[in-house]
Amino acid sequence: MHKHIKISIFAILGFLQIGLAQDDKKDLGTETVTVVKAYSPTISDAFKVKSVPTLNDSIVLQKKPIKYSIFSVPVASTFTPSKGKASGVKKLPPEKIYNSYASIGLGNYNNALADFYTSSALNRDERLDLSLNHHSSRGEIDGTALDNIFYNTKLDASYTKKDRDISWGANIGAQHQLYNWYGIPNGYYTEELVNGIDEKQNYFNAFAGGFVEVEDSFFKSANLFYRRFWDSTKSGENRAVLKPAFEFPLGDELLTLKAKVDYLGGKFKNGQVANDSNIPGIDYSLLQVGINPNINILGDDLSLNLGVNLVYGMDLENSEGNFYIYPTITASYRLLDEVAIAYGGVEGELKQNSFYGFVEENPYVSPTLEMQPTDQQYDAYIGLKGQLLPNLSYNLKGSYMAENRKPLFLLNPENTSRTDEKGYFYGNSFQVFYDDVKTLGVFGELNVDINRNFSLGINAQVYDYDTETDNPAWNLPGLTASMFMDYQIGEKWFMGANLFYVGERDDLYTIASPGTLPEDFAMTPVTLDSYFDANAHIGYRINEQLSVFAKANNIANQNYMRWNNYQVQGFQVLAGATYKFDL
């Protein structure tokens, strides 16, 4: 009750005060206000709320995670995709390889050629090879007084066996050659004298050998060879050669050690043609024992072989011996990938000359030869080879060689006072003349493979000789050159050709006089003309087993002389067939 009374009193007093204020209101009048400073409002710095207010509202709902799923329903379909088909490629049937072949050919000058070869695998590791070769001619060469027939027949058989760690083999063979000392021109001697000359010479050769090769062993290989060679004048020689090889690790490199034992012994019944009589005979017995250690160092672009050849040579017939030391250093360096490879070397050896070797080079030697080994002091050479194009290769080489006792073929003196059984003392046979020769040589070669079916090559060699005796290098040409070509024409036809050139050579024709020293014999220098020979062949494959061929030799029909007074056959044609088969 008291509370309501107080409120009423305060309300009455308020109204009374307001009424009094309205009654005391007076007129204030007007005044002029001058502003002496422009108004420059300012903005107070704002401030951020440093705490984020939280919202506590029951209306805001939390987001619920949504899960997606696929409702898979199988649908039946009759669509079938087509299968891919590879393009058709014509397959070539594999070439049938036969283990045997036989070839026979006949031509003018009664030339005959026959070849047979077979190679049979006895089992997975063993193989037996057999070959038979024959070449003969019974034709007449114009301008010669004596018969000039020849033939050469050789039979060879070999057996090899290969195992995992060792391989070995053996071979055996025989050979018969017939040649005539026909180097007498028509009209030089009387017909009666010519008819009494026995110009035939027969050579016989029997040989056998074997080899063994071992894997994962310091002993790597060994080769053994034996040959018996004799003729129809009761001359003969034996040669046996053993060559073992060893390998030893030497740091990061490999030391290779090659050894050699080479024995040569023989006898010529007849004495040298320069002698007044056919005495005395010639006996020889030579032995070489050598060892060749070398180290091969291989780098990314460099290949270097450092070695030395130590040889002791003995003349058992005269109880003499000499020790020889030769360098065996070779190197090659890749200058520009396959385009340019530089190579060089210095090598030497003691060459074992033999009656068989001389006959292989010149079958018209007399059975009165002196045997000496050739001391090749060094053969220094440097060259550059490579491929200018993928199908064009080249080889350039310069060399300088020094040889003591180099064998040179020189005409035997004409000595009609001799009474030998065979007719080789009419200036129609050759002796071996030993001279110390230094040879400067330049060699160049180009080979072109136009495609896989056509290849072409050409090479040339130039020599300059300096002899100790100041004589010419007898029967050695200063220039030789050759060219070859092979062309496969389609699947059936094939052909090829080769051409070669031999420069001038020097010889000496000597006439012996009884009781006169050889240096006082009448001598006439002889220069043999250079010659060019061209040969070609063509063939046709009838089927995979049978093919026919034709060969043409001395197409230019030049009656040149390879040796003094030994003319070759003129234009020659030979045709035949080759048949492949299995045995």
Side-chain angles (χ1 to χ4, degrees), residues 329-561:
I329 301 173
T330 61
S332 66
Y333 182 74
R334 194 182 305 275
L335 296 174
L336 187 60
D337 293 333
E338 299 297 330
V339 176
I341 300 174
Y343 66 94
V346 181
E347 300 178 87
E349 63 175 319
L350 186 64
K351 296 181 179 179
Q352 189 81 287
N353 297 311
S354 65
F355 185 28
Y356 170 81
F358 289 145
V359 168
E360 287 295 291
E361 190 173 353
N362 182 355
Y364 309 111
V365 293
S366 62
T368 60
L369 305 178
E370 182 184 358
M371 290 297 159
Q372 296 182 27
T374 296
D375 173 21
Q376 180 183 297
Q377 294 178 311
Y378 58 85
D379 178 12
Y381 58 90
I382 186 171
L384 186 68
K385 62 182 179 179
Q387 286 188 286
L388 297 176
L389 298 172
N391 60 349
L392 176 63
S393 62
Y394 70 95
N395 187 9
L396 300 173
K397 183 177 75 170
S399 63
Y400 186 75
M401 181 187 301
E403 296 173 287
N404 294 332
R405 302 186 302 272
K406 181 179 178 65
L408 305 172
F409 294 109
L410 179 65
L411 270 174
N412 270 316
E414 177 189 342
N415 190 355
T416 55
S417 64
R418 293 283 290 257
T419 58
D420 302 23
E421 295 180 0
K422 297 290 185 178
Y424 54 81
F425 47 84
Y426 296 94
N428 59 336
S429 66
F430 293 84
Q431 61 179 303
V432 174
F433 180 83
Y434 292 94
D435 202 347
D436 296 344
V437 182
K438 292 181 172 61
T439 306
L440 177 65
V442 177
F443 170 80
E445 181 181 37
L446 281 176
N447 290 292
V448 183
D449 294 325
I450 305 300
N451 52 47
R452 61 182 301 179
N453 296 325
F454 184 83
S455 60
L456 177 69
I458 185 172
N459 65 73
Q461 302 177 81
V462 180
Y463 298 106
D464 181 68
Y465 305 101
D466 181 18
T467 63
E468 182 69 20
T469 61
D470 292 329
N471 293 318
W474 304 117
N475 279 293
L476 291 181
L479 172 64
T480 62
S482 64
M483 184 177 71
F484 73 90
M485 181 269 291
D486 285 308
Y487 185 30
Q488 178 69 44
I489 312 171
E491 297 181 1
K492 297 292 186 179
W493 290 92
F494 59 91
M495 65 174 296
N498 63 79
L499 303 89
F500 59 89
Y501 172 86
V502 177
E504 293 183 347
R505 290 134 292 137
D506 294 306
D507 209 329
L508 191 67
Y509 193 85
T510 307
I511 300 178
S513 299
T516 304
L517 295 175
E519 55 267 23
D520 296 327
F521 291 167
M523 302 179 184
T524 303
V526 177
T527 299
L528 280 70
D529 294 334
S530 60
Y531 63 87
F532 171 82
D533 201 343
N535 309 293
H537 67 272
I538 188 170
Y540 178 76
R541 295 183 179 90
I542 299 175
N543 54 47
E544 63 179 10
Q545 289 184 266
L546 180 63
S547 62
V548 294
F549 63 87
K551 297 181 178 181
N553 295 327
N554 196 4
I555 297 175
N557 196 28
Q558 293 188 352
N559 294 321
Y560 63 84
M561 292 185 293

Side-chain angles (χ1 to χ4, degrees), residues 169-344:
N171 71 301
I172 188 171
Q175 185 180 19
H176 178 209
Q177 302 174 76
L178 183 147
Y179 290 93
N180 285 7
W181 290 294
Y182 68 88
I184 297 176
N186 276 333
Y188 190 82
Y189 293 110
T190 64
E191 184 177 352
E192 181 181 2
L193 179 60
V194 169
N195 292 335
I197 296 176
D198 182 5
E199 69 273 21
K200 291 183 177 62
Q201 169 67 305
N202 288 275
Y203 298 110
F204 304 93
N205 175 25
F207 56 90
F211 76 92
V212 61
E213 297 177 352
V214 182
E215 298 290 339
D216 300 327
S217 173
F218 70 92
F219 172 72
K220 300 306 296 182
S221 65
N223 289 272
L224 177 64
F225 180 78
Y226 170 77
R227 172 183 284 115
R228 169 66 180 174
F229 184 73
W230 71 101
D231 67 4
S232 57
T233 65
K234 300 181 181 179
S235 302
E237 73 175 11
N238 298 290
R239 187 175 186 183
V241 182
L242 173 63
K243 293 182 178 181
F246 307 87
E247 286 184 353
F248 304 95
L250 188 63
D252 295 333
E253 310 299 338
L254 197 64
L255 174 66
T256 302
L257 187 64
K258 298 179 181 178
K260 179 181 73 171
V261 179
D262 188 342
Y263 170 78
L264 177 72
K267 179 177 182 179
F268 293 106
K269 178 184 177 182
N270 302 282
Q272 294 182 357
V273 178
N275 297 347
D276 292 340
S277 59
N278 190 18
I279 56 173
I282 303 172
D283 296 338
Y284 56 96
S285 181
L286 304 169
L287 177 64
Q288 295 181 15
V289 179
I291 187 171
N292 173 216
N294 60 83
I295 298 176
N296 193 14
I297 301 174
L298 298 177
D300 293 337
D301 297 317
L302 176 67
S303 175
L304 179 63
N305 185 81
L306 302 175
V308 63
N309 191 9
L310 308 174
V311 183
Y312 186 73
M314 291 172 279
D315 185 346
L316 302 178
E317 191 68 28
N318 298 310
S319 301
E320 297 177 353
N322 288 291
F323 184 72
Y324 303 87
I325 302 177
Y326 301 105
T328 56
I329 301 173
T330 61
S332 66
Y333 182 74
R334 194 182 305 275
L335 296 174
L336 187 60
D337 293 333
E338 299 297 330
V339 176
I341 300 174
Y343 66 94

Side-chain angles (χ1 to χ4, degrees), residues 3-242:
K3 183 178 179 179
H4 292 289
I5 293 173
K6 289 179 180 179
I7 292 173
S8 299
I9 292 172
F10 282 125
I12 292 171
L13 290 175
F15 283 117
L16 289 176
Q17 182 69 28
I18 294 172
L20 291 175
Q22 292 292 333
D23 291 339
D24 294 336
K25 184 183 297 184
K26 296 179 179 182
D27 186 9
L28 297 177
T30 58
E31 290 183 5
T32 302
V33 178
T34 303
V35 179
V36 296
K37 184 179 179 181
Y39 175 69
S40 298
T42 59
I43 301 176
S44 300
D45 292 337
F47 65 93
K48 295 182 180 180
V49 179
K50 294 183 179 181
S51 62
V52 178
T54 59
L55 182 63
N56 186 9
D57 193 346
S58 62
I59 300 176
V60 179
L61 300 178
Q62 296 291 332
K63 293 182 179 180
K64 293 183 178 180
I66 301 175
K67 296 181 180 181
Y68 298 93
S69 62
I70 297 175
F71 182 66
S72 179
V73 178
V75 178
S77 175
T78 58
F79 172 75
T80 303
S82 60
K83 295 181 180 179
K85 185 177 182 182
S87 299
V89 178
K90 183 180 179 181
K91 295 182 179 180
L92 295 176
E95 182 180 357
K96 171 67 175 178
I97 299 177
Y98 299 92
N99 65 7
S100 307
Y101 79 86
S103 179
I104 187 170
L106 298 173
N108 62 338
Y109 291 99
N110 291 320
N111 290 339
L113 178 69
D115 284 319
F116 170 77
Y117 174 79
T118 183
S119 179
S120 300
L122 304 179
N123 53 46
R124 182 177 178 180
D125 302 322
E126 297 175 280
R127 178 170 294 276
L128 179 65
D129 297 331
L130 180 67
S131 65
L132 175 64
N133 310 104
H134 172 82
H135 185 205
S136 63
S137 175
R138 295 184 175 273
E140 296 293 333
I141 299 177
D142 295 337
T144 60
L146 300 172
D147 290 339
N148 46 73
I149 66 174
F150 79 89
Y151 66 81
N152 184 353
T153 303
K154 185 178 181 180
L155 175 65
D156 192 356
S158 63
Y159 168 83
T160 57
K161 180 177 175 59
K162 294 184 178 182
D163 292 327
R164 174 179 296 180
D165 298 324
I166 186 170
S167 301
W168 64 276
N171 71 301
I172 188 171
Q175 185 180 19
H176 178 209
Q177 302 174 76
L178 183 147
Y179 290 93
N180 285 7
W181 290 294
Y182 68 88
I184 297 176
N186 276 333
Y188 190 82
Y189 293 110
T190 64
E191 184 177 352
E192 181 181 2
L193 179 60
V194 169
N195 292 335
I197 296 176
D198 182 5
E199 69 273 21
K200 291 183 177 62
Q201 169 67 305
N202 288 275
Y203 298 110
F204 304 93
N205 175 25
F207 56 90
F211 76 92
V212 61
E213 297 177 352
V214 182
E215 298 290 339
D216 300 327
S217 173
F218 70 92
F219 172 72
K220 300 306 296 182
S221 65
N223 289 272
L224 177 64
F225 180 78
Y226 170 77
R227 172 183 284 115
R228 169 66 180 174
F229 184 73
W230 71 101
D231 67 4
S232 57
T233 65
K234 300 181 181 179
S235 302
E237 73 175 11
N238 298 290
R239 187 175 186 183
V241 182
L242 173 63

